[in-house]
Amino acid sequence: MPSAPVLARAHHAGRTVCQVILIALAWILADALSRRFLPAVPSSLLGLGLVLVLLASGVLRRDWLAHGAGWLIGEMLLFFVPAVIAIINYLPLVRQSGARILVVILVSTVCVMVSTALAVDLVWRLQDRVARARADGAQS
Amino acid sequence: MSGVAATGWLVLTVALYFAVKRVHARYPRQWLAPFIVVPVILIAILLGAHVPYASYASRSHWLSWMLGPATVAFAVPIYDHRAVARRHWLPLAAGVVVGMGVAFASSVALAHWLQLPEVLERSLAVRSISTPFAMMAAPTLGGTADLAAIFVVVTGVVGMLLGDTLLKVLPLRSRVSAGALFGAGAHAAGTAAAHRRSTDEGVIASLTMIVAGVLMVILAPFLTGLL
């Protein structure tokens, strides 16, 4: 007779698997819709939008998806391992341009991080100032 | 190529991934992160054994297929954090638009200046967004999904290591901007780094990452016209 923790783990795993299948079905549905009617919208985005609308409208309950979604997002790295391994098809390219590619990635990533943070901070400060001015106006 | 061997590569990938994850949980060093160690070990094995990529990928492509459902799964965290998204939508929208504009323009300009081939330039342009989105956007722009995935991983490593240093130097007032910096610059790796700083920053980082990915995929067809 299996002990209680084993049963609990099996229950948890079973629920996660069912939810992953449900999300995969949503993706397959979105893929079919995208191919048939909306080739301009990528299937995954359509699926994401669809599930979000269904969650917001209460048709899908969060509990039906949350464990599966958490697992899919948490283990996402596993899913892109094959794409990264494809680097072995590009070895001459890496040998020839690897250093320059690194320079692009390094410099561009710094630019993206700095500009994003400054833009967010600037708008956040403006918003804060407007909110305070409104509060002052309401008080006087 | 026998089916058994192809299935073996799939099993090995999955087993290695979970093994490295356990080791990393036990010894949480950045360089032991599964997204660095797993590909490095597999590449070493494949190169050492002279296995062509096509044999490796003949079954393992099922893992890539899972990226579709994984993208759909992002609906749940967006739904969970809708209150944060509603409260900070304006600064975040500004950050994502500026960040993705800079990502695209700076990659293309730098790649051009360093005289990199066009396919590299176009695959580099999408590298700061999350992998499934980058793999969707790259072919639209004239890059390849494989190269984009590789550049995304390298960007994650770079961004994770640089983020904290940049935050020390930058004159930022809000926590929102720190989270956005990680989410826009270094996707999931950055989000993990932001989570280590605080939960708020982690939530902002993951929202920024998802919105940036969605925006890049939507804009890719229009950006092609600019190249």
Side-chain angles (χ1 to χ4, degrees):
Chain A
M1 173 118 185
S3 61
V6 172
L7 283 177
R9 280 180 71 174
H11 175 72
H12 181 82
R15 184 173 50 184
T16 304
V17 169
C18 290
Q19 295 188 355
V20 167
I21 292 172
L22 185 62
I23 295 169
L25 286 175
W27 184 80
I28 292 168
L29 176 73
D31 191 45
L33 285 175
S34 155
R35 270 166 217 253
R36 190 83 194 270
F37 305 106
L38 282 165
V41 184
S43 319
S44 307
L45 283 196
L46 190 67
L48 196 165
L50 201 71
V51 172
L52 196 57
V53 168
L54 291 176
L55 280 171
S57 61
V59 176
L60 276 176
R61 276 182 42 200
R62 189 192 173 278
D63 319 351
W64 296 349
L65 301 176
H67 287 279
W71 186 83
L72 281 167
I73 294 171
E75 311 302 349
M76 192 140 82
L77 162 73
L78 172 64
F79 310 140
F80 64 73
V81 167
V84 177
I85 305 293
I87 198 170
I88 64 176
N89 282 341
Y90 298 95
L91 288 181
L93 195 74
V94 173
R95 231 171 265 137
Q96 204 186 10
S97 320
R100 285 181 289 166
I101 292 172
L102 264 184
V103 171
V104 176
I105 292 182
L106 202 73
V107 177
S108 173
T109 300
V110 171
C111 293
V112 172
M113 287 184 142
V114 170
S115 63
T116 306
L118 291 178
V120 171
D121 208 52
L122 180 73
V123 176
W124 184 84
R125 275 193 231 182
L126 290 175
Q127 229 183 5
D128 197 45
R129 201 176 292 169
V130 171
R132 264 184 222 178
R134 246 187 229 154
D136 286 352
Q139 268 174 11
S140 59
Chain B
M1 180 69 211
S2 73
V4 179
T7 310
W9 289 118
L10 173 60
V11 172
L12 177 70
T13 306
V14 176
L16 189 66
Y17 169 78
F18 284 105
V20 171
K21 233 184 115 164
R22 282 193 104 145
V23 173
H24 184 241
R26 187 98 185 263
Y27 307 99
R29 313 279 141 72
Q30 267 176 346
W31 57 269
L32 273 179
F35 78 101
I36 303 172
V37 179
V38 175
V40 167
I41 296 180
L42 282 171
I43 288 168
I45 295 175
L46 292 175
L47 288 179
H50 298 284
V51 176
Y53 181 71
S55 330
Y56 170 80
S58 68
R59 285 280 191 289
S60 306
H61 72 267
W62 280 108
L63 292 174
S64 310
W65 185 86
M66 291 293 284
L67 283 168
T71 315
V72 175
F74 277 122
V76 174
I78 299 181
Y79 177 76
D80 285 347
H81 302 310
R82 60 196 184 283
V84 180
R86 212 173 290 143
R87 186 158 10 116
H88 298 300
W89 72 270
L90 191 60
L92 288 181
V96 167
V97 170
V98 169
M100 289 310 101
V102 169
F104 181 79
S106 64
S107 315
V108 170
L110 283 162
H112 206 75
W113 178 59
L114 291 169
Q115 298 176 332
L116 287 171
E118 204 167 74
V119 63
L120 288 181
E121 175 182 309
R122 291 167 180 227
S123 308
L124 278 163
V126 295
R127 47 138 250 291
S128 63
I129 56 177
S130 183
T131 319
F133 298 108
M135 290 173 70
M136 264 189 272
T140 320
L141 276 171
T144 77
D146 293 348
L147 285 171
I150 295 158
F151 298 154
V152 168
V153 170
V154 178
T155 302
V157 179
V158 168
M160 195 171 72
L161 299 175
L162 286 177
D164 284 314
T165 317
L166 286 175
L167 281 175
K168 273 183 204 135
V169 194
L170 289 171
L172 301 173
R173 298 267 181 85
S174 60
R175 268 199 179 177
V176 185
S177 56
L181 173 142
F182 278 112
H187 54 92
T191 303
H195 259 294
R196 279 198 292 273
R197 295 172 60 89
S198 73
T199 312
D200 288 355
E201 284 167 74
V203 168
I204 298 280
S206 53
L207 272 176
T208 310
M209 169 185 90
I210 301 165
V211 177
V214 171
L215 184 79
M216 205 55 140
V217 172
I218 294 173
L219 287 184
F222 305 100
L223 290 172
T224 330
L226 296 175
L227 289 167

